[in-house]
Amino acid sequence: MKCLLIASESAEVLFHWTDPEFQQNVQQQYGASQEDGHGLPAFEDSISTLFAPIIISCVAMVERLGDSYASFSTENNHIYVLHQFDECLYIAVNGDGEEDEDDLRRKIYVMKKMIEVLFGMVTLSSTLLRKELRPQDTEQRERLWKQLQGLLETYSHLRENDQSFLIEAVERLIHPTLCEQCIEFLERRLVQQLNSSGERAGEEVVHAFILVHTKLLAFYSSRNASTLVTSDLLTLIIMAQNMYPSSTDLEDTGPEVTVKSKLKTLNVYTTLSFQMAEDSLQTLRVPPPDPSTPQRVFLEVSNKEGLYPMMPHSMYCLPLWPGITLVLLTKVSNSAVAMSVYVFLEAFAKLEKRLRGQEGSAATRGQPTIHDLRGKLDKFIKALGPSDIQNLHYKCTKIMLNESCFSLIPWCKNMKTQLCGVYRQCFLTDSRSVDSPRHLSPGLQERAQTLVQEKLMDWKDFLLVKSKRNITMVSYPFIKDKFPGLIHFICVDRSTGQMIAPSLNITERNSSELGKGPVAQFIKGKVWELVNTTRRYLQKGYSTVTLRDGDFYFCYFLWFESETGFKLDAVDLPILPDDSTPIGMLSWDYYRKLQRFYSKNHQGDVVRCFELLTIHLGIIPSEIILQHCRQLASKLWEPSRNPLL
């Protein structure tokens, strides 16, 4: 019984995702009220009717009280979590007890992150975002919603089964020799050849990486490229997994199994449910992606001039073999336009805030800033080439020349909407045009695919197995010999967004070092429980947590180090409200904020942040466990152990 809905303030459905149980519940509830012979109402209409009272209530509370509820539960134990971003209301629902408020809130923020990566600065204008999320063309809307639904399902699956998405950090394949060879190959053979080709249509490959399932084999960035932040990289991995889901003998979690399991559940229903099963199958039947057509994505870029979020890139996801994928990220030829748009959006946002905080002569004092913006914007308009974009900017200029007809605050808001419209036309509308494709040619993509396949041909089987057994307790003799009683650990370098942890792949066919069956599943459940518990304590300002749970002893530590590895003094961490953005790196980079908070007292120093989670047998004395944790943290990040981490 799960659902996620995005709606406008007028209760218009902008996006929805439901599991089969929730869909059946809605269809039965609203189908029973239909007269005989009239058939079932469209599911979109039903779900709009279901949530309309909640949406109207939220809007009324905001208008009258300036606030709204963040969550509530019903008599049948359904949990509702709500969050409004501008004029879009996100509602996440759970009725089967598998998710709590924190899980639903995290799902909302992850969904928002994915929409930002797909639509960029268009998300800063609610008017334009509503048009993007709900296209007038029915087929286009269905295609978009299927893509978003697939991304959400892929994320949910990864978070339930993959430690890296539970922790929200990137996991590398630990094979130093092969990783170094692949990085050198990406730099000297692949990227150089692509960027020197005349078939790249003005695009420049800035990042290239190879994924084995969700693990990173090799990553290369060109010299002038910005660092790819962890939240963007994790989102790209989700997108790659959604396009080419992992399905191996080691873990039966591919899309075919998902479809079969859902249809098996649906087939036990009545005639009403048979109609639902057909609808559900249509929803799951996503057309296979065309590798030659890139996905437009918007990622954070930082350079000497500053930080620019949501800059346009093209993502090429090229399958090498099932489970192994090459991903190329290219910088589009007119990306400078996006930077200019962001600078103007920032300027108008600051001007609007200043106007809202002043009275009386605010407009007069703000006039020089307006004239300055007008001059810069005029130069920006003249620099644009396509006539249709110039016509759009003519509207902007007309608004500016007739500013006396408007108050300045609505004028600023209107200008931001117009700028987002320019951004939309340059990087979303034009990217969908097939008349003049501006991306790497299919032949060039095929050559890149072939080059990497030839490089990894002798390694592919090893890599697929290695991805499931990346690190084991027995593969590190110093762990097995020096840390008796240690069952599991997770160590994370939050400065680089990378983690180290023994593999936890437990299926009916295969077992891990924890064994097979209920015991192994129990330990895995404890790991997930420990992570969720430590996040709640971290939210309350605790950087150290030790817990005894039956036969197990849990430890969690967060600490800071200098660039040279010297441990820095502990400080009081900020306490966050219960309904704050979930702690992590995917939906919101909490740890980057935390490093900035700590760096206030260490000006000029590079501050690094680390986390360590351990599970020991409860019979081990607590002082020995704490000694283990100190030694384990120092040994795991030694250069000799993992030279690429």
Side-chain angles (χ1 to χ4, degrees):
M1 291 289 290
K2 301 178 178 68
C3 172
L4 190 143
L5 174 76
I6 305 177
S8 66
E9 294 180 338
S10 60
E12 182 182 37
V13 176
L14 303 179
F15 167 75
H16 70 81
W17 171 86
T18 60
D19 66 356
E21 291 76 16
F22 193 95
Q23 184 176 355
Q24 183 205 20
N25 192 349
V26 173
Q27 291 280 25
Q28 287 180 338
Q29 180 178 350
Y30 289 94
S33 63
Q34 299 296 304
E35 297 180 2
D36 294 339
H38 284 237
L40 294 174
F43 182 73
E44 185 179 321
D45 296 335
S46 300
I47 202 170
S48 177
T49 304
L50 174 66
F51 284 97
I54 299 175
I55 298 171
I56 295 172
S57 175
C58 285
V59 173
M61 290 184 67
V62 171
E63 290 179 351
R64 298 181 183 182
L65 304 177
D67 197 4
S68 183
Y69 34 73
S71 63
F72 63 87
S73 58
T74 60
E75 292 182 352
N76 58 357
N77 295 323
H78 284 205
I79 302 174
Y80 290 71
V81 173
L82 307 91
H83 197 98
Q84 185 159 352
F85 299 99
D86 292 329
E87 300 175 13
C88 297
L89 180 64
Y90 289 62
I91 304 176
V93 186
N94 182 268
D96 54 17
E98 295 181 358
E99 297 172 311
D100 57 18
E101 288 188 18
D102 293 337
D103 296 325
L104 296 178
R105 189 171 293 108
R106 186 176 300 277
K107 183 183 291 186
I108 286 175
Y109 276 87
V110 169
M111 190 74 245
K112 178 176 179 288
K113 170 65 178 179
M114 292 178 181
I115 290 176
E116 288 176 347
V117 170
L118 289 175
F119 298 107
M121 281 183 252
V122 172
T123 58
L124 303 179
S125 170
S126 299
T127 303
L128 297 178
L129 181 59
R130 288 198 302 269
K131 293 180 181 179
E132 287 294 327
L133 289 178
R134 189 180 174 85
Q136 292 184 353
D137 183 74
T138 305
E139 293 184 2
Q140 184 181 351
R141 184 194 317 162
E142 182 181 2
R143 188 163 54 248
L144 171 63
W145 286 9
K146 283 180 180 179
Q147 180 186 14
L148 293 174
Q149 289 165 355
L151 289 172
L152 185 60
E153 291 179 357
T154 300
Y155 162 73
S156 299
H157 168 75
L158 292 177
R159 188 172 183 273
E160 292 172 2
N161 296 277
D162 196 309
Q163 289 182 100
S164 64
F165 282 89
L166 171 69
I167 295 294
E168 296 188 4
V170 179
E171 185 174 4
R172 284 185 179 269
L173 279 181
I174 306 300
H175 194 289
T177 302
L178 179 59
C179 292
E180 289 177 351
Q181 291 178 3
C182 289
I183 292 173
E184 183 178 357
F185 172 81
L186 292 177
E187 176 186 7
R188 298 184 179 181
R189 288 286 307 279
L190 185 67
V191 174
Q192 283 189 6
Q193 182 171 331
L194 293 177
N195 287 340
S196 60
S197 172
E199 302 177 37
R200 58 189 181 94
E203 291 196 343
E204 177 188 356
V205 179
V206 291
H207 302 288
F209 55 94
I210 302 172
L211 292 173
V212 184
H213 298 305
T214 60
K215 295 178 177 60
L216 203 59
L217 171 62
F219 187 99
Y220 170 74
S221 298
S222 61
R223 293 181 180 180
N224 298 327
S226 170
T227 301
L228 188 62
V229 296
T230 304
S231 60
D232 286 344
L233 180 54
L234 289 172
T235 305
L236 295 177
I237 294 175
I238 294 174
M239 295 176 67
Q241 279 290 299
N242 182 53
M243 293 174 67
Y244 302 103
S246 298
S247 180
T248 67
D249 293 335
L250 291 175
E251 187 176 23
D252 297 328
T253 56
E256 295 181 0
V257 177
T258 305
V259 174
K260 290 178 181 178
S261 63
K262 290 184 178 181
L263 292 180
K264 183 178 180 181
T265 303
L266 290 170
N267 283 336
V268 301
Y269 295 152
T270 60
T271 305
L272 168 66
S273 300
F274 278 112
Q275 179 180 348
M276 289 174 48
E278 183 178 356
D279 295 339
S280 179
L281 181 59
Q282 292 294 332
T283 302
L284 292 169
R285 191 180 294 140
V286 180
D290 181 6
S292 64
T293 304
Q295 171 70 59
R296 180 55 53 86
V297 292
F298 300 90
L299 311 173
E300 179 180 306
V301 170
S302 59
N303 54 34
K304 59 182 181 181
E305 298 174 356
L307 180 67
Y308 297 90
M310 296 181 279
M311 291 294 106
H313 294 73
S314 293
M315 175 187 179
Y316 298 83
C317 195
L318 307 178
L320 305 176
W321 298 280
I324 305 179
T325 309
L326 169 67
V327 179
L328 303 174
L329 290 175
T330 63
K331 175 183 175 182
V332 298
S333 57
N334 58 342
S335 58
V337 175
M339 292 185 177
S340 298
V341 170
Y342 176 72
V343 170
F344 285 121
L345 286 173
E346 284 283 283
F348 280 111
K350 292 177 181 178
L351 176 60
E352 184 179 351
K353 288 181 180 180
R354 186 158 60 249
L355 293 172
R356 290 184 183 278
Q358 297 174 342
E359 296 180 357
S361 59
T364 304
R365 288 195 293 268
Q367 197 68 22
T369 304
I370 294 174
H371 285 303
D372 183 53
L373 286 176
R374 177 183 298 174
K376 292 181 179 179
L377 189 57
D378 184 59
K379 294 180 181 179
F380 175 63
I381 295 172
K382 293 179 180 178
L384 292 174
S387 58
D388 48 355
I389 296 180
Q390 287 184 352
N391 291 335
L392 184 60
H393 271 290
Y394 172 74
K395 298 177 183 179
C396 300
T397 308
K398 188 175 180 180
I399 293 173
M400 297 175 71
L401 294 175
N402 294 279
E403 63 188 59
S404 58
C405 301
F406 305 90
S407 65
L408 287 177
I409 292 178
W411 173 76
C412 288
K413 185 176 181 180
N414 202 336
M415 287 302 304
K416 290 190 293 183
T417 301
Q418 295 292 337
L419 285 167
C420 290
V422 173
Y423 179 94
R424 174 175 178 250
Q425 187 167 344
C426 288
F427 304 110
L428 286 176
T429 306
D430 287 355
S431 69
R432 299 170 185 146
S433 175
V434 297
D435 297 332
S436 57
R438 302 175 183 175
H439 51 75
L440 305 181
S441 68
L444 191 60
Q445 296 179 47
E446 186 176 350
R447 288 198 294 274
Q449 195 174 17
T450 303
L451 278 174
V452 182
Q453 284 177 331
E454 292 174 352
K455 172 67 178 177
L456 298 178
M457 181 63 70
D458 297 333
W459 291 90
K460 63 175 183 177
D461 294 331
F462 166 79
L463 290 173
L464 291 172
V465 175
K466 179 66 174 175
S467 68
K468 297 299 180 182
R469 306 279 291 181
N470 190 27
I471 297 177
T472 61
M473 300 289 272
V474 296
S475 65
Y476 279 76
F478 74 91
I479 296 178
K480 179 181 66 174
D481 299 337
K482 297 186 178 180
F483 303 102
L486 177 63
I487 298 175
H488 192 70
F489 67 86
I490 302 175
C491 193
V492 191
D493 182 350
R494 290 298 181 182
S495 305
T496 60
Q498 299 181 25
M499 62 166 286
I500 300 176
S503 299
L504 276 178
N505 294 294
I506 306 163
T507 65
E508 295 182 359
R509 297 184 183 183
N510 298 275
S511 63
S512 69
E513 293 171 296
L514 301 177
K516 184 177 181 179
V519 175
Q521 291 290 350
F522 178 78
I523 298 298
K524 182 178 179 181
K526 287 297 180 182
V527 173
W528 262 246
E529 180 183 340
L530 171 60
V531 171
N532 294 329
T533 301
T534 55
R535 279 176 174 158
R536 286 193 289 269
Y537 277 103
L538 189 58
Q539 191 174 11
K540 296 177 182 179
Y542 294 93
S543 60
T544 301
V545 180
T546 58
L547 298 170
R548 186 179 294 275
D549 183 3
D551 296 329
F552 303 98
Y553 197 95
F554 301 148
C555 292
Y556 168 79
F557 302 93
L558 182 144
W559 72 97
F560 299 93
E561 292 183 4
S562 65
E563 192 174 16
T564 58
F566 179 75
K567 186 176 180 181
L568 303 176
D569 295 334
V571 296
D572 294 332
L573 301 182
I575 300 176
L576 305 177
D578 293 337
D579 60 347
S580 63
T581 308
I583 290 176
M585 301 186 78
L586 182 55
S587 57
W588 174 56
D589 199 338
Y590 164 80
Y591 298 94
R592 183 158 61 172
K593 301 282 187 181
L594 199 60
Q595 285 177 259
R596 292 174 182 171
F597 171 80
Y598 191 91
S599 298
K600 292 179 181 179
N601 298 324
H602 294 80
Q603 297 293 335
D605 294 336
V606 177
V607 176
R608 303 181 66 186
C609 179
F610 294 88
E611 285 182 303
L612 177 66
L613 300 91
T614 64
I615 300 180
H616 282 78
L617 292 175
I619 59 174
I620 306 298
S622 57
E623 59 272 13
I624 300 298
I625 292 176
L626 296 178
Q627 182 180 353
H628 283 181
C629 292
R630 286 193 296 268
Q631 295 175 351
L632 183 63
S634 63
K635 286 184 175 295
L636 282 175
W637 296 108
E638 285 181 2
S640 59
R641 304 287 179 190
N642 301 290
L644 296 180
L645 299 182

